[in-house]
Amino acid sequence: MFEVFLKEVKELLRDRKTLFFVIALPIVIFPILFALLGFLASKTTFEAEQKVHTYYLANAEHSSEFEQMLFYHKSFKPYEGDEQFDSIDALKAAVKAGKIDVGIEIPKPQVKPLTTTPEQVIWHVVFNDAQSINFVYKRLEKLINKYAAGVRSATLEALGAPKSHHSAILKPITITKVDTADKRENYGEKLGALIPYMLIPLVLMGASYPAIDLGAGEKERGTLETLLLTPVTRTQLVLGKFLTILASSIACALVTVSSMAIWISIAGGIGILDTIKDAFSSVRFADFMLIFALLLPVAVMLSSLVLAISIYARSFKEAQNYMGPLSMLVFVPIVVSVMPNMSLNTTTAWIPITNVSLAIKEIIKGTVDYSAVVMIFVASALLAGALLMFCIRWFSKESVLFR
């Protein structure tokens, strides 16, 4: 078995494509892609924040004070054309034509004098809300609220309420949030769910490429028959191939996690990604080892599955076609783990992959229940053992090997 394992590892290390996917991709390509995405996101957000929006204020004469506030705001400039847009339909057409970025319609009748009975009015803000990054509405809402606060205060004074009582009248009850979650739990809840999205598919990816080569690849090259003639039992043969795939799967996950830790450390050292650095600063080495230990039975399960699929496939291409749906099957349990009200308990601890995904999130949060972790190990080990046994029996069938 170990001779088969060593032989397969040597062949794997000679395969440049496998080395690229297992080592170069997580060390170099992924960090570059993530850095590029972060840079583009920061750049587009900065540009959106700095953008000056052209506005048109319909019926501006009804609120000259707000008109002045808008005119002197650094993020807005008035429309300089000669056309008039005095209705909502006209403002919509102007926004669609690109003549203005936003239109505000102050309806008639205007805000009544402060000595009369107060009356609520509705202002319409017309803009294109389909853009993914759009600060125009929030800026206008903030400005209108500031203007409305001044109108409200003046109205209350006109109605005889002293200015010192305004806060109690307008907001008789103030809520103060007292959060029982510490910093680690807060960050872990937000970022911990993302870690399984990265680790578990990488475990699958690290197993898939060598599995295709060691199963379907052997068939396609015609070397499988030679292997079967060697004085090695089929169980030893399949276990040797399985250990090779398992080693590649674990190596891919380890290389990726190590690469991430190094890049986050470098980024944190130069003052960026402080949020991520804070989130992981309280995660101990023992927690990382526990995450790695939870991934081991997952790696055994996925390695057994991909080897069984690869042995069944007639060719390299057929094996690749079968691996595609398997990727989707792995993502579904991970998605289930991030659904509302999903938590690690005695029931979810028995759901494959979902249990590991939930446990990783709880470990990052620092709230993991170790009795549930034991149940996960038992459930995962039982399933991994069953799948490995199936793979061995599958490899023993002539109808599968020579279909």
Side-chain angles (χ1 to χ4, degrees), residues 337-351:
S337 70
V338 296
M339 287 184 174
N341 296 326
M342 283 297 291
S343 60
L344 185 60
N345 52 44
T346 52
T347 303
T348 54
W350 294 92
I351 303 173

Side-chain angles (χ1 to χ4, degrees), residues 42-281:
S42 302
K43 185 171 180 291
T44 52
T45 305
F46 178 77
E47 287 175 353
E49 285 177 343
Q50 297 299 315
K51 185 178 179 182
V52 177
H53 304 282
T54 303
Y55 72 89
Y56 185 90
L57 188 59
N59 304 324
E61 67 276 11
H62 299 317
S63 182
S64 57
E65 187 181 344
F66 178 73
E67 183 185 16
Q68 291 297 310
M69 289 172 68
L70 195 57
F71 182 81
Y72 289 109
H73 196 285
K74 65 178 182 180
S75 298
F76 295 100
K77 65 177 182 179
Y79 170 65
E80 295 176 347
D82 298 327
E83 294 183 63
Q84 299 293 314
F85 314 115
D86 293 331
S87 66
I88 293 177
D89 290 336
L91 290 171
K92 280 183 181 176
V95 171
K96 284 182 179 177
K99 295 174 183 175
I100 58 173
D101 296 318
V102 60
I104 306 104
E105 192 236 21
I106 302 175
K108 298 175 183 178
Q110 64 181 36
V111 177
K112 292 187 175 180
L114 301 178
T115 53
T116 63
T117 305
E119 182 179 326
Q120 189 179 49
V121 294
I122 299 173
W123 290 16
H124 294 94
V125 178
V126 182
F127 69 106
N128 186 349
D129 197 23
Q131 297 177 17
S132 56
I133 300 177
N134 199 334
F135 297 104
V136 64
Y137 184 77
K138 285 185 178 177
R139 285 172 182 157
L140 270 177
E141 188 181 35
K142 189 176 178 182
L143 201 61
I144 292 172
N145 285 339
K146 184 179 177 183
Y147 170 71
V151 173
R152 186 168 53 239
S153 181
T155 305
L156 285 172
E157 280 193 41
L159 292 173
K163 195 170 184 178
S164 57
H165 294 175
H166 289 184
S167 297
I169 293 171
L170 296 172
K171 201 169 185 182
I173 298 174
T174 300
I175 300 172
T176 301
K177 185 171 72 173
V178 180
D179 192 359
T180 58
D182 57 17
K183 192 176 178 181
R184 176 178 174 177
E185 191 175 347
N186 262 322
Y187 281 129
E189 181 64 33
K190 296 175 180 69
L191 295 174
L194 299 177
I195 305 302
Y197 269 108
M198 181 190 66
L199 288 180
I200 295 175
L202 277 172
V203 169
L204 175 63
M205 189 183 78
S208 298
Y209 291 102
I212 293 172
D213 186 62
L214 298 185
E218 294 271 15
K219 277 187 180 181
E220 201 163 349
R221 291 191 296 270
T223 53
L224 183 62
E225 290 83 353
T226 309
L227 272 178
L228 293 172
L229 290 174
T230 56
V232 179
T233 66
R234 290 196 180 181
T235 301
Q236 290 173 325
L237 197 57
V238 73
L239 283 178
K241 288 179 178 293
F242 164 76
L243 287 176
T244 308
I245 296 166
L246 180 65
S248 170
S249 173
I250 294 170
C252 186
L254 270 178
V255 166
T256 305
V257 174
S258 304
S259 170
M260 271 191 61
I262 292 168
W263 282 106
I264 288 173
S265 174
I266 292 171
I270 57 177
I272 57 176
L273 296 179
D274 284 342
T275 304
I276 296 177
K277 191 181 177 185
D278 288 343
F280 289 95
S281 60

